[in-house]
Amino acid sequence: MRITNVEADIVRIPLSTRFSGSVYQIESRCTVVVRVHTDEGLVSEIYSGDERTGYQLLKDLVVGPMAEAVKGEDPMAIERCWQKMFALTPHVGDKAIAMRAIAAIDIALWDISGKALGVPVRTLLGGYADRAPVVRFAYYVQGRDTAFMVEDLLHQRERGIGGVKLKVGGVAVTDDLLRVRAIRDTLGDDFIIVCDANQAWTLEEALEFAGPAREMGLAWLEEPCRWQNADNDMRQVRLRTGIPVAAGQGESSSWGGQRLMDTEAVDILNIDAAICGGISEWRRVAGAAQMRGVRMAHHEEPQLAVQLLPAHAHGLFVEVFEEERDPVYYQLNSVLPEWDNGEIIAPDEPGMGLHLDAAVLEEYKVY
């Protein structure tokens, strides 16, 4: 079997509601859809990432030099294909976009390999489990107060959600702590709570939050400290409060994950396969993390996380958005995994188990 062609489309769907984290606002959802064709008729169609600014370069790299690097190759020779694409990165000015382009094709090759062998990608990666705990994001949204958020989380738990990933850092520390307390008091001790500050806080502010939050049973605190000295400051938060710290979503390669472990900045790595160079690079990080007692999460992208995290004994929670925040997930996918008793059930179908809606793709294709 040989690769004959690589195609790509950029999809952008405007959001009906503005969602805010501590230092940013989201008004659209964007992704790249990639199709890899083979001479035996086996085709992969996957999507990955949320690149909202550099998507033209991303597509141009996918269908241009990266595609040329893998055409004629065996799609199951994934590592050789990855290395051929990675060898092109010195010639690309924007290395981050280059790694996203590699990721999109790499994920498609894992999809083809699973389809060729008749097994899900999670089985190829280790097959430790067929499900994982699932948490749902809670943002700052105008017109929604803490009572609204807690009521919604009660409803989501009835639907099968196991916890919340709460955005913090956008209001006073004391106010964020009140939000956490309201969730814990209402949802109970078995409801997972993780908090994500998106690098909003000084070290002092992070410590002010982390001490009381630890007593409320946070599963982790993500990116608590500002960018300029983040590794050292996150280490201080870990050592001085005992709260588990997560980071890694913006790292473009396994070397970034290695740095976070070398500096003892994290207990949990939430490396994103769509950003860091694909499943191939993510699993390299996962292997190194397991040897060092660091657990693995995945930044957003539940269609990827549901394959990656259950495959590994040290995998943690799959993250899902609400319907208005991620129309790509809820509209582009014609079939979605089920939630049950706080867990998401991984697809049993070969490959990534994705079925994309051609009409949605055509409606929202922008490049």
Side-chain angles (χ1 to χ4, degrees), residues 26-283:
I26 300 292
E27 297 181 338
S28 67
R29 175 73 165 90
C30 193
T31 197
V32 59
V33 176
V34 169
R35 290 173 294 279
V36 174
H37 298 263
T38 69
D39 60 356
E40 295 186 9
L42 199 57
V43 178
S44 169
E45 185 176 54
I46 61 92
Y47 72 95
S48 69
D50 189 8
E51 179 54 50
R52 294 183 293 274
T53 57
Y55 61 77
Q56 291 180 318
L57 175 59
L58 173 59
K59 176 180 174 177
D60 291 346
L61 287 172
V62 168
V63 300
M66 300 302 175
E68 292 303 316
V70 301
K71 284 181 183 178
E73 291 287 349
D74 180 348
M76 298 179 70
I78 300 174
E79 182 65 14
R80 183 166 68 244
C81 290
W82 195 95
Q83 294 294 342
K84 289 184 71 174
M85 291 188 288
F86 186 72
L88 300 176
T89 58
H91 308 286
V92 181
D94 192 329
K95 303 296 188 289
I97 296 295
M99 294 302 285
R100 286 162 169 78
I102 292 172
I105 294 178
D106 178 81
I107 293 163
L109 299 184
W110 282 94
D111 182 44
I112 285 178
S113 296
K115 289 176 177 176
L117 296 172
V119 297
V121 167
R122 63 179 167 81
T123 300
L124 299 180
L125 295 171
Y128 178 77
D130 64 357
R131 62 190 63 205
V134 58
V135 298
R136 180 177 166 105
F137 281 88
Y139 279 82
Y140 300 107
V141 179
Q142 188 174 6
R144 299 184 186 178
D145 59 11
T146 300
F148 179 99
M149 175 187 67
V150 170
E151 187 65 28
D152 180 65
L153 290 174
L154 285 168
H155 173 63
Q156 299 308 323
R157 186 172 64 178
E158 292 176 357
R159 297 178 63 197
I161 287 291
V164 62
K165 184 171 184 179
L166 179 68
K167 292 295 183 179
V168 295
V171 297
V173 169
T174 52
D175 291 337
D176 274 330
L177 287 169
L178 288 173
R179 296 165 72 225
V180 177
R181 172 53 67 192
I183 295 170
R184 178 58 73 219
D185 288 348
T186 306
L187 276 298
D189 292 339
D190 61 346
F191 194 71
I192 299 164
I193 304 176
V194 301
C195 289
D196 183 5
N198 291 111
Q199 299 186 321
W201 287 322
T202 64
L203 174 58
E204 291 73 22
E205 290 168 329
L207 292 170
E208 181 186 355
F209 179 87
R214 180 180 181 274
E215 300 305 314
M216 298 182 213
L218 255 65
W220 78 61
L221 176 58
E222 185 174 326
E223 291 192 334
C225 301
R226 292 180 182 172
W227 66 272
Q228 68 268 26
N229 197 27
D231 289 9
N232 178 70
D233 287 352
M234 288 191 295
R235 180 176 184 272
Q236 291 298 315
V237 172
R238 293 180 60 238
L239 296 180
R240 292 166 65 175
T241 70
I243 199 166
V245 170
Q249 67 184 53
E251 301 299 336
S252 294
S253 72
S254 59
W255 291 275
Q258 185 69 38
R259 187 200 77 249
L260 288 167
M261 290 187 284
D262 286 345
T263 57
E264 299 181 340
V266 295
D267 302 277
I268 297 140
L269 281 168
N270 70 330
I271 301 292
D272 188 330
I275 292 174
C276 80
I279 293 172
S280 296
E281 190 77 337
W282 190 94
R283 69 173 186 154

